[in-house]
Amino acid sequence: MNEKLRITYTYPNIMRQIMYLVIIFYTLLHCGVMTEILVFRIEGYYENVRILPTYLLYALAFAVEIALFFGYKFCYSTYDSKTLTYHNRLLHREKTLDLTKVKFAIFDKFCVKFYDKTTVDSDHDIPIFRIPFYRLGFIDAVEIDRLYKMLCARGDVGVAKTYKKLLGYSNPWKLLILFYGIFIYAFLVNCVTPVTAFLVLWQSHGVPV
């Protein structure tokens, strides 16, 4: 195997991504109302606004929200028959494992652990390398299974799998869809006030809608 294969992360469900978009929209609305207060110089309000700290706070909120939305794309792994490299694009870091030195690998609920010896006590022995199953998104099931099959096919590596379903793919995790739905509904209800305030301020200063 000369071609580098990838192990990526994916968001657990579309409802989580919609929730982040709603939060970004909610923040954008509040930023818009604050901008109108400053531009239209609304008496009783704009005098008390500290412009730099206010917009720095909005910028920080947007940065965090966008990082959460795209966070699952920041980390990934690449590998071939000889090496495996874990990449973190956010921190501009990477770590490489020489797969020819691996004697045992454990696929547990939270990560893949690699060891340089054949007899392993997973509770006490420290692995020489790990691939985490969660990085603001869950590991791609097909891609991690491809690595599992490759290691099993080598013959000189002991491989153990301790889970039935990967982290993020079992039924309890699917219940989060209900939580996300409630969260989205609550935020949309709370959007009514800033939307109304934005339109009223816009129209009251002679700007047609």
Side-chain angles (χ1 to χ4, degrees):
M1 184 197 302
N2 295 320
E3 180 186 358
K4 289 278 187 178
L5 298 176
R6 291 170 67 95
I7 302 172
T8 58
Y9 297 86
T10 183
Y11 52 83
N13 56 70
I14 193 63
M15 291 295 285
R16 191 192 77 166
Q17 300 305 97
I18 294 174
M19 180 186 71
Y20 287 148
L21 286 176
V22 170
I23 294 172
I24 292 171
F25 176 67
Y26 182 77
T27 306
L28 185 62
L29 278 175
H30 276 272
C31 184
V33 171
M34 183 61 64
T35 301
E36 286 184 323
I37 289 172
L38 294 172
V39 171
F40 298 141
R41 303 178 74 85
I42 306 300
E43 292 186 10
Y45 294 95
Y46 86 92
E47 302 94 339
N48 301 318
V49 175
R50 300 178 65 185
I51 297 176
L52 183 59
T54 298
Y55 281 96
L56 283 176
L57 184 61
Y58 281 124
L60 177 62
F62 281 125
V64 171
E65 290 159 8
I66 291 172
L68 289 173
F69 184 81
F70 291 107
Y72 68 95
K73 292 180 175 289
F74 292 149
C75 299
Y76 65 97
S77 300
T78 57
Y79 68 95
D80 55 22
S81 58
K82 296 182 179 180
T83 61
L84 187 154
T85 303
Y86 176 77
H87 307 264
N88 186 320
R89 290 190 289 189
L90 182 63
L91 301 177
H92 300 286
R93 293 180 182 175
E94 61 181 48
K95 185 178 180 181
T96 299
L97 169 69
D98 183 354
L99 285 174
T100 62
K101 295 181 179 179
V102 173
K103 302 299 181 184
F104 202 87
I106 298 177
F107 289 67
D108 68 18
K109 291 182 178 181
F110 303 104
C111 64
V112 186
K113 302 174 183 176
F114 298 91
Y115 299 87
D116 57 359
K117 53 186 178 180
T118 55
T119 304
V120 172
D121 182 350
S122 60
D123 293 328
H124 298 95
D125 291 332
I126 299 175
I128 58 174
F129 199 84
R130 297 172 188 259
I131 299 179
F133 283 173
Y134 183 81
R135 281 295 180 267
L136 293 178
F138 296 109
I139 200 96
D140 186 282
V142 173
E143 293 170 353
I144 197 65
D145 187 60
R146 187 186 296 131
L147 174 65
Y148 172 79
K149 290 178 179 177
M150 187 201 79
L151 292 173
C152 289
R154 271 183 49 176
D156 60 342
V157 178
V159 183
K161 183 189 289 187
T162 64
Y163 61 84
K164 292 182 178 180
K165 287 191 175 182
L166 276 168
L167 182 69
Y169 293 87
S170 58
N171 289 329
W173 284 97
K174 294 178 181 178
L175 292 176
L176 282 175
I177 294 175
L178 178 61
F179 167 77
Y180 294 140
I182 294 172
F183 202 88
I184 290 168
Y185 174 77
F187 259 84
L188 288 176
V189 169
N190 279 281
C191 282
V192 173
T193 300
V195 166
T196 303
F198 183 89
L199 293 177
V200 168
L201 289 173
W202 194 262
Q203 289 179 309
S204 65
H205 288 79
V207 182
V209 177

